[in-house]
Amino acid sequence: MSQTLFDKLWNAHIVRPETPDAPALIYVDLHLIHEVTSPQAFTELAERGLKVRRPDRTVATMDHSTPTWPADLQGQRRYASEQAWEQVRTLLDNCDEHGITVHDWDSPNRGIVHVMGPELGLSRPGMTIVCGDSHTSTHGAFGALAFGIGTSEVGHVLATQCLLQRKPGKMRVTVDGRLGAGVSAKDLVLHVIGRIGVDAGTGHVIEFAGSAIRALDMEGRMTVCNMAIEAGARAGLIAPDQTTVDWLRGRAHCPQGEDFEQAASQWLQLKTDPGAHFDREFRFDAEEVAPTITYGTHPGMVVGVDQAVPASIDAAGRRAMDYMQVTPGQSLLGRKVDVVFVGSCTNARLGDLRAAAEIMRGRQVADGVRMLVVPGSEQVRKAAEAEGLDQVFLAAGAQWREPGCSMCIAMNGDQVGPGQTAVSTSNRNFEGRQGPGSRTFLASPATAAACAVKGCITDPRHIDGPPEVRIHFPAPRQMEARQ
Amino acid sequence: MTPFKRLNSTTVVLTERNIDTDQIVPARFLTTTNRRGLGQAAFADWRFDKHGQVREDCPLNARQAETSEVLVAGENFGCGSSREHAVWALLQFGFRVVISSRIADIFRANALRNGLLAIEVDADTHAWLLDNPGAGVTVDVVQARLRLPDGRDIEFELDPFARTCLIEGVDALGYLLGQEQAIAGFEQGAREAA
Ligand code: SF4
């Protein structure tokens, strides 16, 4: 019978099949951990006298509560609190005790878990990958089954390398056609979430397919899969192809030489069979995608940056717009911006920084705007510095920081002030996500950079155009009148 | 975990849709290394204003909420971050049951792993519950049934495995550890090449 890519990945990892009484036992090839969601799991192990079953399949990084300021002259780091430091230390102690590789301050590879894993070639096609972090869906870009888990399940994987799971449903999002100039993978995925909704993927794994997805580079594919969770999905997936293989060749944890070519030929077999069944299907045309931005308090409330936000909304929409101080029926262009954040596991890879730098080059961050650029990993930082991107940002008046989650989750002291407006390349615009009372507009790196330069919400395609003046006509009323 | 077979309780209602785990526990409470002390963090920015004053209009601050063990929430509850702290906080706040018309995957899994029963109900039942805050309901885990004060008796879906864990007050880790032979066998198979 025809199988989907997801079926194949699932079947290859069944230790015990699902029965009415018990979920399937699924084997985990790679377990990534970080300081925030692991300490209680290690405590659980200690209380039961258990060991980590496969330290060799476990890799740790520190990213969420770590400061992004460089160390001072004494080598000290500015932690946001005693507790934050305690959390990082706990991770280091736990890794030490259990023989787990940890990318700490001394590692040349430390980074946000979902940037670092792929970069090191730890995430490869055909694998199962989990992490106590919902954006683990990112690694699905390589044709791996990758999903986020809670801390109890982190404990399960540490102790047994397995998880109890019922098989999710299958969903496919096909995007054909070509993205327009100045339109990125981030715009594409925001557009899709806006159309299908933030809970469309609940209980499903989404496979992204179609010519527009094929045309994305690996960084773009990671951005798309990263946001699959924002459509509620368990995981996002893209079938491996030559782009995947070329990106992985030579990475530290990949097989090398002839072994690599052999592995690659197997990876290229991993795809959905023709005629395989999906429980839900959606299709989109890439040409319809504009630079896209959110206007509300979840990632499904999106609009083309040059379009007006919806005029007719329900109570929830109104509450969200009130919070965001957005007027129904009006365009966001010209809305004053206080903070711009280029970073996070969604958009802090080299290509993202290049896209932002291209806009910033020779321009200045507008007065009154604070801009933070936070590379996703040490490798990204070094590559960006080698190209002089740091100098572009610094010359423009932006801050160039060290890798970490930073303002995406605002746990490390980097945050947006109460009531402030931020344009961010991260993935969540929930109330208070970037700091209590913060207002977040999610967008691509190019749009974020354009907003920084202009000091207000700006269409990156028209950054040098005349000041954008829009005339608002009242919404047509004849429909109501006729009733 | 304490065994959980049945409870009678009034409900607290939050009508908002898409309540994400950042609302349930804001990130600033996540720099903890244990599971304790999170009851105060539950919905902190909904229960208190920016000066730390109690928000009288928040249903979680109503007197009745103190004894209520059932939270009814708008569609798609628990979306967003995988933080299990959200579940710990709700339990420590005093809830044992969450009811919505849709509950996000990771939150639901986390809830059941900790003895917090997350129930999805049909749109009509959901609408009724949203409209009737404080209603006295009975949740029967053994029968997987929810009884409303007007006599309606609704069956809800509950994974038999999760149900056993709830009723017996055991967690899944014990079961997993019992699978060692199968796991070792799997590892010795072709998978080790991966
Ligand atoms: S960058 Fe943001 S979304 Fe990504 S892992 Fe860090 S906190 Fe989570």
Side-chain angles (χ1 to χ4, degrees), chain A residues 63-64 112-114 133 135 226 344-346 404-405 408-409 426-428 433:
Chain A
D63 49 5
H64 284 66
I112 304 174
V113 59
H114 312 308
D133 195 288
H135 291 99
N226 173 278
S344 89
C345 58
T346 313
C405 297
C408 171
I409 190 165
S426 48
N427 41 56
R428 288 186 173 139
R433 169 80 178 184

Side-chain angles (χ1 to χ4, degrees), chain A residues 27 48 53 152 166 203, chain B residues 84 105 159 171 179-180 187:
Chain A
Y27 195 76
R48 298 197 189 207
R53 194 170 188 287
S152 294
R166 295 273 178 202
Chain B
E84 199 160 310
D105 293 333
D159 187 87
D171 66 12
Q179 307 296 317
E180 175 55 32
E187 284 181 329

